Amino acid sequence: MATPGLSNRPNGQQQQRRFGITDPISTSGPTEFDVAKTRELEKYLQDAGLYESREESVSREEVLGRLDQIVKHWVKVISRAKGLNEQLVQEANAKIFTFGSYRLGVHGPGADIDTLCVGPRHATREEDFFGELQNMLSSMPEVTELHPVPDAHVPVMKFKLKGVSIDLLYAKLSLWVIPEDLDVSQDSILQSTDEQTVRSLNGCRVTDQILRLVPNIQNFRTTLRCMRYWAKRRGVYSNVAGFLGGINWALLVARICQLYPNALPSYLVSRFFRVYDEWRWPNPVMLCDIEEGSLGLQVWDPRRHNKDRFHLMPIITPAYPSMNSSYNVSSSTLRIMSEEFQRGREICEAMQANKEDWETLFEPFSFFDAYKNYLQIDISSGNEDDLRNWKGWVESRLRILILKIEKHTYNMLQCHPHPGEFSDKSKPLRYFYFMGLQRKQGVPVNEGGHFDIRMTVEEFKVTVNSYTSWKQGMEIQVSHVKRRSIPSFVFPGGCRPSRPSKATWDSRRSLEAKACTAADKSSPEGKGGPDGSDDRKKRKHVDDDVENNSTLGVKRLAAAVSSSNEALEGSPSAIRVHSLSAEGDLPSASEFVGTGIGCNAPPQNAYESLERSSSKEAEKLAIEEIMSGPYGSHQASPQELDELEHGKDSLGNEKCCSTVESSSTPDKTAEAIITGSAPPMIPLLTSCNGGAVVPNPPSCLHGGLDELEVSFYPYPSHFFDDIFPVSGLIFLQLK
């Protein structure tokens, strides 16, 4: 039986086809306001250069046609070489499929094309695809930058064909002949295939299924194009870095389209932020029911597979075998994305009141202004080919460093990875990565404990250097850099920008939060404790405590709505959950702040406010019901996740890991020591006599954070080189 959702479909109207595993929240059509806002959004995306020209579109089609000719010729060559008779040689076939952003119709100018070559059973991956086909491509003048990656989780061949970037996967089916009308969405195609083929086919199968499960493909495409651009501008578009990649954002947008099947893109964007701001992770996002299938392939199911219980932000693929597409997400990156969802929601609510515009939503996140301390990871190699391989390997391991730091500091030190890499023209054959550092929100300044994570970075470097294709010259260094010392090559044009003359949404919110904090401090009730926890409100992003307060505020407001409706209408108090309209249910930002998140006063028109709040609460209840599926109760509890982060097993026993010393003395300074490698027999002292620089804490832009004071080792950094070669000893003293 389907979980009931909200609907405002008039009585007697023919029921619309249901998309997804629940009823929609609203089936309302667009208002004039939605139409106008959608036009504004489409113009903004056009002006941002997100659509390719007609000429480029034709060029891509020609390239795909040429690639199809190449693989068809290739399969006949290897068929003849394997001794097949001439009839089988003539019947031998291979076929090219597309997936990803190109297949979804949301690719932009210069984007690569994700492609899949499907071949017969006698065309092997190792000898024929990464052998004969690779040799054929390398001999063609129209093919450049050929880069095979046979050892990847999903083996891929990267190259440019006539200037168009191609990522080519290979799937070997159990068929002797590949038909031209092959349908890869059929589960039977997976019969007798290896794991690499299943993973390679997954991209095409998931993409096709998404397009089948959305009610309006054009509205889906515009909304997804918007959300992809937003995620890149806000620095949360990267599966490798622990955020979300293209397929993840597509699945999240598709679910919103299912819940609001008749809405236009502008409304879908606002509902995207509202729904996922309300979403209680790790409840999974699913477009359809998970099918067991008849082939015995493992599907995502936390009721049966213990590892699935610990996924923090499960976004499930709709094609068999269903998988969690977002297993890379860590607690730090989930926190960052949750904060961005809330920011987007507040801006959309302000847009509804004509107080903001699309430009505000797409303001870029100032990563190098947001923190006071950063980790800098430098990688280098001896030549271009080695650097390309080394770069891909290191990027796939960076999330391990985040997870280790979170775990070994009891989540006390949080990391914010920048989703991209940087290069310095003056230093060829090198790439640079950065991670912002901050203390976890709500941790008292005087909380005792020593957290020695010197081995954390060392373990990470050992993991990275275990690369099976490691060659002489491949190096990695991890060091600390302060905000004021960030190298200039990370900024556009290689020049550090001056402070912007125009205030951004983030800067205004930061000032408002500081004003609220000052007001709280001036009142007896608002006085903070000695731990400085009252300063937390100054932080630019909203922490977990504020989110909890938001929930309490909504509950209190719901009670007020209920009692007020009873008084105004003379009827029993009840929230009208079947009258949600597409118009008038988005309160302004000031009303949102007035419900318990900020210090603004409630709107003067109480009745209209209550009506909007009632509609808002009804939508919240619908979202709650949507999340009440069969998997939520089987996800790991917060306590289990906490124990996992604290190095305990499922029985609560301490796991064997790097030394973590904790002190029960409340006034003892908490210290976190991060080094590449330092001899444990040398005492860790603080001094001002020179030596390796120690980081400061995040800046006041993330206000309320406890300062990480500068300290120095009494020994110069090169003192340790003869014992354990290191690069950049880092000592964080959290005061």
Side-chain angles (χ1 to χ4, degrees):
M1 182 176 178
T3 304
L6 292 181
S7 175
N8 57 356
R9 185 171 49 245
N11 292 335
Q13 181 177 333
Q14 184 177 3
Q15 184 171 354
Q16 183 176 355
R17 173 191 168 190
R18 191 184 80 177
F19 293 84
I21 58 176
T22 65
D23 289 334
I25 292 178
S26 172
T27 57
S28 290
T31 64
E32 292 182 4
F33 181 86
D34 299 331
V35 173
K37 281 296 179 184
T38 296
R39 286 174 181 161
E40 291 177 10
L41 175 61
E42 291 173 341
K43 183 179 184 304
Y44 188 94
L45 299 178
Q46 285 278 3
D47 294 343
L50 300 186
Y51 295 86
E52 68 179 0
S53 65
R54 175 62 182 168
E55 292 75 15
E56 188 173 0
S57 178
V58 171
S59 175
R60 287 178 183 274
E61 293 175 4
E62 292 175 351
V63 165
L64 288 173
R66 174 60 179 144
L67 181 60
D68 192 59
Q69 292 176 355
I70 292 173
V71 297
K72 281 175 166 47
H73 173 67
W74 159 73
V75 77
K76 293 184 185 302
V77 169
I78 63 170
S79 296
R80 185 174 286 110
K82 291 177 183 291
L84 274 65
N85 62 52
E86 192 59 28
Q87 180 180 352
L88 289 177
V89 169
Q90 294 305 316
E91 292 177 350
N93 189 32
K95 188 169 174 58
I96 291 292
F97 294 87
T98 62
F99 62 99
S101 63
Y102 184 83
R103 176 72 179 94
L104 290 172
V106 296
H107 61 287
D112 57 8
I113 305 178
D114 294 314
T115 57
L116 170 72
C117 173
V118 177
R121 63 187 305 169
H122 59 277
T124 66
R125 178 178 292 102
E126 293 77 13
E127 295 180 3
D128 298 324
F129 182 76
F130 284 108
E132 182 62 30
L133 180 58
Q134 179 182 333
N135 293 334
M136 289 176 61
L137 291 172
S138 63
S139 65
M140 297 178 178
E142 56 196 322
V143 175
T144 58
E145 300 181 25
L146 179 61
H147 175 51
V149 192
D151 298 328
H153 186 65
V154 182
V156 60
M157 195 121 61
K158 297 173 176 285
F159 56 92
K160 284 187 177 181
L161 179 58
K162 294 184 176 180
V164 177
S165 296
I166 301 289
D167 284 358
L168 182 62
L169 311 183
Y170 181 66
K172 184 187 76 168
L173 304 187
S174 58
L175 304 174
W176 282 103
V177 177
I178 303 299
E180 274 297 309
D181 60 351
L182 179 70
D183 183 3
V184 296
S185 65
Q186 298 298 317
D187 291 351
S188 58
I189 202 173
L190 303 175
Q191 190 79 41
S192 302
T193 57
D194 57 31
E195 290 185 8
Q196 291 175 317
T197 290
V198 172
R199 290 195 290 265
S200 298
L201 285 166
N202 192 52
C204 288
R205 289 166 54 81
V206 168
T207 303
D208 289 348
Q209 191 71 348
I210 289 174
L211 294 176
R212 291 190 184 100
L213 291 172
V214 294
N216 185 304
I217 292 178
Q218 186 56 48
N219 288 341
F220 164 74
R221 283 174 171 164
T222 301
T223 307
L224 178 56
R225 195 182 292 272
C226 168
M227 296 313 306
R228 284 165 56 96
Y229 182 60
W230 170 85
K232 292 174 182 178
R233 297 281 285 179
R234 299 303 298 174
V236 290
Y237 189 100
S238 173
N239 186 277
V240 171
F243 296 110
L244 302 181
I247 190 63
N248 310 124
W249 292 111
L251 292 169
L252 290 182
V253 170
R255 185 62 180 130
I256 300 302
C257 292
Q258 291 180 339
L259 296 175
Y260 302 91
N262 299 321
L264 290 181
S266 64
Y267 193 80
L268 292 171
V269 169
S270 71
R271 263 40 194 178
F272 178 97
F273 290 117
R274 173 172 289 186
V275 169
Y276 294 122
D277 183 42
E278 298 280 359
W279 201 267
R280 287 183 289 102
W281 305 103
N283 285 290
V285 172
M286 301 187 299
L287 300 186
C288 59
D289 290 322
I290 295 178
E291 298 181 1
E292 291 295 328
S294 59
L295 303 180
L297 300 176
Q298 181 174 310
V299 298
W300 184 86
D301 190 347
R303 299 171 299 184
R304 292 187 296 175
H305 310 304
N306 192 55
K307 66 180 179 64
D308 293 343
R309 298 177 62 237
F310 295 94
H311 291 166
L312 300 180
M313 193 182 186
I315 303 172
I316 310 306
T317 56
Y320 176 78
S322 295
M323 311 171 187
N324 174 26
S325 63
S326 52
Y327 61 88
N328 274 356
V329 172
S330 69
S331 60
S332 284
T333 53
L334 175 57
R335 171 185 53 84
I336 293 164
M337 287 186 285
S338 297
E339 292 163 357
E340 288 296 334
F341 292 155
Q342 178 164 350
R343 174 189 178 273
R345 174 178 179 166
E346 293 177 4
I347 292 175
C348 286
E349 289 172 345
M351 289 173 60
Q352 182 74 14
N354 290 317
K355 296 180 179 179
E356 297 293 345
D357 54 23
W358 291 111
E359 185 176 357
T360 304
L361 181 67
F362 295 113
E363 286 175 352
F365 178 66
S366 300
F367 180 82
F368 291 106
D369 286 330
Y371 300 93
K372 209 169 187 177
N373 292 273
Y374 298 84
L375 280 185
Q376 178 175 317
I377 299 96
D378 304 359
I379 65 169
S380 58
S381 190
N383 58 67
E384 291 285 354
D385 289 338
D386 288 350
L387 181 61
R388 189 183 300 113
N389 295 330
W390 186 230
K391 175 177 178 287
W393 169 254
V394 172
E395 286 179 347
S396 70
R397 305 290 98 183
L398 284 178
R399 60 182 288 266
I400 294 179
L401 178 58
I402 299 173
L403 295 174
K404 285 180 177 293
I405 290 176
E406 290 176 351
K407 176 180 176 181
H408 292 177
T409 64
Y410 290 0
N411 255 5
M412 187 171 168
L413 189 63
Q414 295 177 328
C415 297
H416 182 169
H418 189 283
E421 77 282 352
F422 298 89
S423 59
D424 185 357
K425 293 181 180 179
S426 66
K427 299 176 181 178
L429 301 178
R430 294 182 70 174
Y431 283 107
F432 303 84
Y433 302 86
F434 293 87
M435 296 182 184
L437 298 175
Q438 72 173 21
R439 177 194 291 273
K440 181 180 179 180
Q441 289 298 295
V443 176
V445 179
N446 60 355
E447 181 174 297
H450 285 77
F451 302 90
D452 185 347
I453 59 170
R454 287 176 296 178
M455 293 304 297
T456 301
V457 171
E458 185 62 26
E459 287 175 10
F460 167 70
K461 292 172 68 177
V462 169
T463 299
V464 170
N465 286 320
S466 66
Y467 182 40
T468 55
S469 300
W470 186 90
K471 295 181 180 179
Q472 190 70 31
M474 293 181 175
E475 296 181 357
I476 180 170
Q477 298 178 344
V478 182
S479 58
H480 158 258
V481 60
K482 295 182 181 180
R483 184 177 60 193
R484 64 174 179 265
S485 302
I486 291 291
S488 59
F489 62 76
V490 306
F491 301 105
C495 180
R496 183 184 296 272
S498 58
R499 291 198 174 275
S501 57
K502 180 182 177 181
T504 64
W505 171 274
D506 293 335
S507 63
R508 293 196 303 270
R509 297 297 285 175
S510 178
L511 290 174
E512 291 172 8
K514 289 180 180 180
C516 289
T517 301
D520 289 342
K521 286 183 176 181
S522 64
S523 63
E525 295 83 357
K527 294 294 183 182
D531 62 352
S533 60
D534 55 321
D535 289 338
R536 288 177 239 156
K537 296 179 183 177
K538 292 190 293 182
R539 188 171 182 270
K540 178 174 63 178
H541 296 308
V542 181
D543 68 10
D544 297 336
D545 294 336
V546 177
E547 292 175 4
N548 293 335
N549 292 338
S550 172
T551 304
L552 289 174
V554 171
K555 290 180 179 178
R556 291 167 184 162
L557 186 60
V561 170
S562 180
S563 60
S564 298
N565 282 339
E566 183 177 5
L568 290 170
E569 302 177 8
S571 59
S573 61
I575 299 175
R576 296 183 294 277
V577 297
H578 295 289
S579 61
L580 183 64
S581 68
E583 184 176 9
D585 55 332
L586 266 174
S588 69
S590 60
E591 292 170 37
F592 182 82
V593 171
T595 61
I597 296 182
C599 56
N600 293 22
Q604 293 182 352
N605 191 329
Y607 184 82
E608 291 182 4
S609 174
L610 291 173
E611 284 296 309
R612 283 191 290 266
S613 299
S614 175
S615 179
K616 197 171 162 186
E617 181 67 15
E619 193 167 19
K620 180 181 177 69
L621 291 176
I623 296 171
E624 286 291 331
E625 291 211 27
I626 288 169
M627 290 188 290
S628 60
Y631 301 100
S633 61
H634 295 275
Q635 291 295 103
S637 65
Q639 180 181 359
E640 289 176 301
L641 290 172
D642 188 59
E643 289 177 349
L644 182 68
E645 291 165 352
H646 283 60
K648 296 181 180 179
D649 59 23
S650 58
L651 299 177
N653 301 317
E654 293 286 346
K655 285 184 180 178
C656 231
C657 59
S658 60
T659 304
V660 178
E661 179 185 359
S662 188
S663 170
S664 59
T665 307
D667 60 348
K668 189 173 182 179
T669 302
E671 298 174 340
I673 301 158
I674 305 175
T675 72
S677 171
M681 70 289 293
I682 296 178
L684 299 176
L685 306 174
T686 59
S687 172
C688 296
N689 297 327
V693 180
V694 187
N696 273 339
S699 71
C700 60
L701 288 176
H702 285 250
L705 298 179
D706 307 321
E707 291 294 320
L708 312 182
E709 292 191 350
V710 178
S711 299
F712 297 84
Y713 275 109
Y715 310 97
S717 57
H718 64 77
F719 177 88
F720 302 107
D721 291 348
D722 293 335
I723 308 174
F724 293 99
V726 298
S727 58
L729 295 172
I730 306 174
F731 175 53
L732 299 183
Q733 183 179 14
L734 286 74
K735 286 285 190 181

